[in-house]
Amino acid sequence: ANLEPPPLSPLSTHNSHLAALHRAIEIVVRCVEEGAYFDALSAEPASLLLWLSPTWKERLQVNTTDGGDPGQFYKALAGCVSAFLDIEDGSTQHAASGRSIEREELRSRAMLVMAVGVAALLAFMQANWTGPPLNLPPCPLSTVCKKDGNLPQNTWNFWANEELMVDGCDLLGMCALPQFLIFSKILLVDAKENIRKNCFNNAFGLETWNWWGCRTLSAHQHVLAERSPSLYTALTHANAEITEQFGSTKSVLRRQWDLKMDNQEASTIATLVQLEAGLVEYTYGHIDKARQYFKRAEQACGIQFSITGALGFRTIHQVDPKPQMILVANSTSTSSNLAASKEESLYLDVSQSIKSVSLQGQKEVFEISTESDILLAPNLVEDMHDVGIPATARSGDCGKNNYLNTVQQAVVLAQCLEIKKSNPDDDLKGWQMAPYIEAVDAQQDSHFMVKYFCQLLRIHWECARSRTQQRALLLMEHLVEAIQGSSFKVTERMCFVFCVGCPTIPALLKEHAELMVSCGLVREALLLFEKLELWDNLIDCYCLLEKKSAAVNLIQQRLQIQPNDPRLWCSLGDVTLDDECYIKAWEFSAHRFARAQRSLGRSAYNRAEYNKSMKHWTAALALNPLHPGGWFALGSAALKAREMDKAIDAFTRAVQLDPYNGESWNNIAAIHMTKKRSKEAFIAFREALKFRRNTWQMWENFAQVALDIGNFGQAIEALQMVLDLSQGKHVDLVSLTRLVEEVEARKVSSVGSKDHVYASSDKKGVDECTTSTSVSSLVGDEITYSHEDIGKRQSKEAEWLQEVVGKLLAQIAHSCECGGEIWGLLARWHRVKGDLTMCTEALLKQVRANQEQAGTPYSKNASSEYNQTGAVLH
């Protein structure tokens, strides 16, 4: 391209240099405040980043005859920025220009770099998060470099997409303006070392450099389909510094800001810092750490949330009011005024265009009229004095009684996110999220992105219910129209975009297409997947339409345009089941595309080549060890290959990355169970059952290990769950027999003896394994009691165990067609109780059951046992 020198006259004095820098900073800041982010990258401000490098023209020279090398271009650009900021250690002599530089000018240069980087980042955020859509050139410096338009945009964007695919991670759909993100990373992340070296990190005006760098890294992670370990490392270090600087109101007020800041504004900044740090941990699946950050955000904004109940109506035709969960907000500090009617004081005075979006304006964008008989929010009964409901909850919902400013609404939605992730995926989870969603939805003032994210959470909840799935699809359609429309200015949309967990626009469109598929609109979803270049989802749609050949033809057409795209080769391998496609993808990516190895690992596993599958999964995890599905697959292959130690290590890594993975916990417990490590298996089964409570096989295994460690209360509860989940069709005779034997042993044992048969089993490891209040967990403290007290306690425990085992056996016997074994166990239980009449009746039923099973008129075993009991009766 024809690169002309910057339109600036040579600067010879310190004052002229400083004046030009200040003028450029003012231009960039004004453009950012007005939402004209690309204008901030215009000729004068951006060219100053390059002017002081004497060889800047040669460094950035691009040969348009062959399209140029984008890698060399951005490498040269990073060198120019580094030279712009660099000085020799211990002096003020600039390394590039050779003249004396004052500290004030160096600080102004750093401020210009940060301002331009923020403008590039916000332009990228507008194109990929907030909308409205942008029609910008792909290169952020196209105006400065005066490119003639002959550069192949697809080639440069393809290079930028490959640069963003760090650690072998794939992109989540099409990424708009990827070069803007690379440019912002050069300015806000890579240049940070120069700032540190020159001791500008805490200088006035540069305090938030780390914050913007962390936001840049977070945006990079969100455009990826997988978790990047290198980005997480950088984000962790950045978050630690940011929370130390701005994590509390006191720390914010200690900063020497050149403006008057009150406690309310300081608490707002501290709240936003904690929210953004929590969202980073949430993105990587660290829910416990995220919960801590969200709790600190709640404390920083001076408010405390609680869930209470009130009677209300959820449907139009409901006659009787039912209990409804509602959210109540209580102020915990004088700085948080819930009754405030305005929230302008929450923001620094930067632009008149940054205002709350009124509810009247939101109705046209977010709300729709449906014919559903399910209300969006419950109509609560107003007169609740007699039932003890707090006054804040009597007249509708939280929004009608408690004013929540936008920051507090963001905290509410963050807590809703934590509930969504930390609870099992069942119907109850949606109702636990409902009061948080309805509280924010009822507010009269909300910013665009907060309202947008609240609506998205509502869609996630309603699409899981059959009665509201159609309404969820309509809400999603309106949400997509709102984000792609031009109803609100970009300055209104950009507020709070970093402190709510909004997905990218491609991710939102993907959710929309998946919701279409669930509603049967496969053809419409197919077109959307093709537009987003989500080839895997596209293949699934073609398979549902029984047009697999059409998918092959489409991918082959795309390969003619992009023959070296590893994603296309992997998708072709998925539809043709040809490993050669995965091998080509691996080669074309220069051994950096982890998905190719994962596909080879799955293919080998399906062919029962488990050792080969393990090698492929190991290679994939070497590139990206933060892939929980990869560790689970490696553990499954190792389990099939009988490599138990490797399997348990892989499943352990899987639950470390995703503690809510019930399948991995179950496999860990199963391995411990096979190795006769009942204590470890008990702990793992208990974690697994938090997230997979509807599998009776898991409850059955849990009952067995609970009996092994002597926790009879948990064992009985597990057997009850087995009976309920299998609808009485499955009974664990082995565990029931062990329970009856325990009842018999406790009956015949001497109550006051120190050498009880069951004492050692009750004490064995129970206190370390469970906090249950079962009988066996109460026996471990016998040293603190006298022998008489010990006898009384053990007698009560024996009576309790005998009672609950009898109830369980009676329920089994009368709720299903049981065999003779159950009647035999029930007879033994009646014998322990001393009721020989019922014992005889149970034995008779056992005889009849055995005769029916054997198909003979008489069962020898049953007769023998009956005669034995008869001898006892006589």
Side-chain angles (χ1 to χ4, degrees):
N2 297 322
L3 300 179
E4 298 296 334
L8 296 174
S9 59
L11 302 177
S12 58
T13 65
H14 165 68
N15 290 334
S16 60
H17 279 81
L18 196 60
L21 288 169
H22 287 174
R23 183 174 68 252
I25 293 172
E26 290 176 0
I27 292 174
V28 176
V29 172
R30 185 173 63 251
C31 291
V32 169
E33 291 177 354
E34 295 174 354
Y37 306 123
F38 185 72
D39 293 344
L41 307 176
S42 60
E44 183 175 355
S47 61
L48 275 177
L49 300 178
L50 319 172
W51 183 82
L52 285 176
S53 178
T55 59
W56 75 276
K57 182 175 180 179
E58 291 76 9
R59 290 187 179 187
L60 298 179
Q61 186 67 46
V62 178
N63 187 355
T64 58
T65 58
D66 58 357
D69 186 351
Q72 292 298 324
F73 175 84
Y74 282 99
K75 183 178 180 181
L77 177 61
C80 291
V81 174
S82 179
F84 183 70
L85 295 172
D86 194 22
I87 60 174
E88 295 181 358
D89 295 337
S91 70
T92 58
Q93 191 77 11
H94 193 267
S97 64
R99 66 180 181 83
S100 179
I101 304 295
E102 297 292 336
R103 301 285 296 180
E104 177 64 20
E105 181 179 337
L106 290 172
R107 185 181 68 85
S108 298
R109 293 183 185 184
M111 289 185 65
L112 178 60
V113 171
M114 184 177 73
V116 174
V118 169
L121 174 63
L122 295 182
F124 179 79
M125 296 296 295
Q126 180 181 350
N128 291 276
W129 264 271
T130 65
L134 291 170
N135 185 18
L136 299 179
C139 180
L141 294 179
S142 59
T143 304
V144 177
C145 297
K146 296 182 180 179
K147 293 185 174 134
D148 55 9
N150 295 327
L151 290 178
Q153 298 183 8
N154 291 335
T155 303
W156 280 55
N157 282 338
F158 183 75
W159 169 86
N161 288 332
E162 285 190 328
E163 286 297 306
L164 294 179
M165 294 164 60
V166 295
D167 302 324
C169 300
D170 196 1
L171 292 177
L172 184 60
M174 292 185 62
C175 178
L177 303 180
Q179 297 180 58
F180 279 68
L181 181 57
I182 291 177
F183 182 51
S184 64
K185 286 189 66 178
I186 291 174
L187 299 182
L188 297 176
V189 179
D190 299 341
K192 187 169 64 174
E193 292 302 321
N194 296 87
I195 300 300
R196 290 181 183 276
K197 184 172 66 174
N198 297 330
C199 301
F200 290 145
N201 202 34
N202 295 320
F204 169 72
L206 303 176
E207 295 91 342
T208 59
W209 189 299
N210 283 336
W211 197 352
W212 285 106
C214 183
R215 288 173 168 179
T216 304
L217 294 171
S218 180
H220 187 180
Q221 173 58 61
H222 279 88
V223 299
L224 299 176
E226 304 160 16
R227 303 168 185 169
S228 167
S230 60
L231 289 178
Y232 178 68
T233 301
L235 282 167
T236 302
H237 293 159
N239 270 338
E241 296 179 1
I242 296 167
T243 52
E244 182 180 357
Q245 293 176 339
F246 308 108
S248 65
T249 303
K250 293 182 179 179
S251 62
V252 174
L253 292 174
R254 282 198 300 264
R255 315 299 301 181
Q256 296 181 355
W257 305 95
D258 190 20
L259 46 84
K260 294 181 180 180
M261 180 179 294
D262 56 23
N263 288 338
Q264 182 68 16
E265 293 167 340
S267 66
T268 298
I269 294 176
T271 303
L272 297 181
V273 167
Q274 298 292 348
L275 281 176
E276 293 182 26
L279 288 173
V280 168
E281 298 295 343
Y282 178 86
T283 301
Y284 284 88
H286 303 156
I287 306 303
D288 292 335
K289 292 183 179 179
R291 186 184 298 113
Q292 295 175 2
Y293 281 117
F294 294 155
K295 192 65 178 178
R296 293 171 192 163
E298 181 181 338
Q299 296 171 355
C301 69
I303 198 168
Q304 184 177 6
F305 301 106
S306 60
I307 299 294
T308 186
L311 293 178
F313 301 91
R314 179 64 67 170
T315 65
I316 295 177
H317 306 292
Q318 185 176 338
V319 177
D320 299 324
K322 302 294 182 183
Q324 308 292 334
M325 290 191 295
I326 59 175
L327 184 72
V328 175
N330 297 311
S331 175
T332 59
S333 66
T334 57
S335 63
S336 177
N337 184 11
L338 296 180
S341 60
K342 300 291 184 180
E343 56 176 325
E344 280 82 359
S345 62
L346 299 178
Y347 312 105
L348 308 181
D349 187 16
V350 295
S351 176
Q352 292 296 326
S353 63
I354 302 178
K355 296 179 180 179
S356 296
V357 180
S358 65
L359 186 65
Q360 182 68 27
Q362 291 175 4
K363 285 183 178 180
E364 301 177 0
V365 177
F366 292 111
E367 296 187 5
I368 61 172
S369 59
T370 64
E371 298 179 357
S372 175
D373 61 341
I374 308 295
L375 300 174
L376 288 171
N379 292 330
L380 303 183
V381 177
E382 294 186 5
D383 189 9
M384 301 296 296
H385 296 276
D386 297 334
V387 294
I389 298 298
T392 55
R394 287 176 188 152
S395 60
D397 47 42
C398 176
K400 294 182 180 179
N401 299 278
N402 290 328
Y403 174 83
L404 299 178
N405 60 47
T406 309
V407 177
Q408 294 162 347
Q409 294 173 35
V411 175
V412 172
L413 296 180
Q415 294 190 350
C416 184
L417 268 183
E418 185 268 324
I419 292 175
K420 177 183 177 184
K421 183 65 176 178
S422 60
N423 286 277
D425 192 11
D426 52 19
D427 296 337
L428 182 60
K429 180 175 69 174
W431 294 107
Q432 291 174 323
M433 296 167 54
Y436 297 88
I437 298 172
E438 291 163 354
V440 175
D441 206 20
Q443 296 299 312
Q444 297 297 316
D445 293 302
S446 295
H447 275 80
F448 179 87
M449 295 307 292
V450 175
K451 191 71 174 180
Y452 157 63
F453 186 56
C454 179
Q455 289 294 92
L456 186 60
L457 289 177
R458 175 180 290 278
I459 292 170
H460 292 169
W461 170 38
E462 295 202 346
C463 70
R465 296 186 291 163
S466 59
R467 296 180 65 183
T468 56
Q469 190 178 43
Q470 190 68 25
R471 185 170 68 188
L473 181 59
L474 294 175
L475 286 171
M476 178 64 82
E477 291 175 354
H478 279 251
L479 200 62
V480 171
E481 292 175 1
I483 206 69
Q484 293 181 335
S486 58
S487 300
F488 297 95
K489 297 179 180 179
V490 65
T491 51
E492 297 173 344
R493 296 169 182 248
M494 199 61 66
C495 291
F496 300 98
V497 65
F498 295 102
C499 65
V500 291
C502 294
T504 62
I505 293 178
L508 176 68
L509 296 177
K510 180 185 177 183
E511 289 188 31
H512 185 199
E514 290 173 344
L515 187 55
M516 287 180 180
V517 173
S518 64
C519 294
L521 304 175
V522 180
R523 295 183 183 276
E524 291 78 1
L526 188 146
L527 298 175
L528 192 52
F529 285 135
E530 183 177 355
K531 178 181 177 182
L532 296 172
E533 296 186 1
L534 294 171
W535 309 117
D536 294 340
N537 301 92
L538 185 69
I539 292 171
D540 293 338
C541 289
Y542 274 119
C543 292
L544 289 174
L545 296 174
E546 298 181 355
K547 293 183 178 180
K548 187 178 293 186
S549 59
V552 175
N553 294 334
L554 177 61
I555 295 174
Q556 289 176 345
Q557 292 175 6
R558 296 291 302 179
L559 281 172
Q560 293 177 359
I561 302 174
Q562 297 176 338
N564 298 333
D565 191 341
R567 294 175 296 174
L568 289 172
W569 282 107
C570 282
S571 297
L572 184 61
D574 291 341
V575 70
T576 60
L577 303 179
D578 186 3
D579 286 359
E580 289 297 326
C581 297
Y582 303 135
I583 296 174
K584 288 183 179 180
W586 180 246
E587 296 297 332
F588 284 134
S589 67
H591 299 175
R592 293 174 51 193
F593 196 49
R595 182 189 163 187
Q597 287 294 331
R598 290 197 290 267
S599 299
L600 288 170
R602 278 190 289 268
S603 179
Y605 185 90
N606 294 333
R607 297 193 305 268
E609 298 176 0
Y610 303 119
N611 289 322
K612 189 175 181 180
S613 177
M614 290 172 59
K615 293 180 181 179
H616 289 302
W617 282 110
T618 302
L621 291 169
L623 289 172
N624 183 11
L626 293 185
H627 194 282
W631 288 109
F632 181 85
L634 176 61
S636 300
L639 193 61
K640 289 289 187 179
R642 311 307 299 172
E643 296 282 351
M644 294 300 180
D645 293 335
K646 293 182 179 180
I648 201 167
D649 290 341
F651 289 129
T652 301
R653 288 292 300 272
V655 297
Q656 288 173 348
L657 295 175
D658 185 9
Y660 303 95
N661 189 338
E663 285 285 352
S664 295
W665 280 115
N666 178 51
N667 290 340
I668 292 173
I671 295 174
H672 283 309
M673 191 175 179
T674 58
K675 289 182 172 292
K676 306 300 182 182
R677 296 197 288 256
S678 299
K679 187 186 301 184
E680 292 82 355
F682 179 87
I683 297 174
F685 271 130
R686 192 170 56 183
E687 292 295 323
L689 289 169
K690 291 180 181 178
F691 315 105
R692 293 195 60 201
R693 300 186 63 85
N694 297 327
T695 306
W696 65 263
Q697 294 91 340
M698 195 182 299
W699 283 105
E700 185 177 69
N701 292 333
F702 182 59
Q704 294 178 11
V705 296
L707 288 172
D708 290 339
I709 66 171
N711 195 322
F712 300 105
Q714 291 281 355
I716 292 172
E717 178 186 355
L719 292 174
Q720 182 68 56
M721 290 296 298
V722 171
L723 187 64
D724 295 341
L725 292 175
S726 65
Q727 298 179 350
K729 296 179 180 179
H730 186 83
V731 177
D732 187 1
L733 289 173
V734 176
S735 298
L736 287 172
T737 302
R738 293 178 63 182
L739 281 174
V740 173
E741 290 174 352
E742 182 66 24
V743 171
E744 292 174 339
R746 295 194 180 215
K747 182 66 176 179
V748 301
S749 299
S750 174
V751 176
S753 175
K754 294 183 180 180
D755 299 326
H756 273 298
V757 176
Y758 59 89
S760 60
S761 63
D762 284 348
K763 291 169 59 179
K764 183 177 61 177
V766 177
D767 290 333
E768 298 131 356
C769 295
T770 180
T771 58
S772 171
T773 57
S774 63
V775 173
S776 57
S777 63
L778 302 175
V779 185
D781 299 330
E782 59 183 72
I783 191 172
T784 61
Y785 297 96
S786 64
H787 294 302
E788 183 178 356
D789 292 336
I790 293 173
K792 292 180 180 179
R793 285 170 55 85
Q794 293 173 344
S795 177
K796 290 182 179 179
E797 293 166 5
E799 292 176 0
W800 173 85
L801 183 62
Q802 177 179 313
E803 180 181 356
V804 294
V805 170
K807 290 181 178 179
L808 180 61
L809 290 173
Q811 181 181 358
I812 296 173
H814 294 92
S815 63
C816 59
E817 296 181 1
C818 58
E821 296 85 354
I822 296 297
W823 290 111
L825 293 175
L826 191 58
R828 293 168 62 180
W829 179 83
H830 282 299
R831 184 188 302 171
V832 172
K833 193 176 180 182
D835 192 344
L836 298 182
T837 303
M838 295 299 298
C839 175
T840 304
E841 184 178 345
L843 284 173
L844 288 172
K845 292 181 179 179
Q846 179 188 15
V847 171
R848 299 190 186 101
N850 288 337
Q851 289 176 344
E852 292 178 1
Q853 291 176 354
T856 59
Y858 192 76
S859 175
K860 181 177 180 181
N861 293 335
S863 174
S864 174
E865 186 169 0
Y866 172 72
N867 291 336
Q868 240 180 2
T869 307
V872 174
L873 290 173
H874 290 296

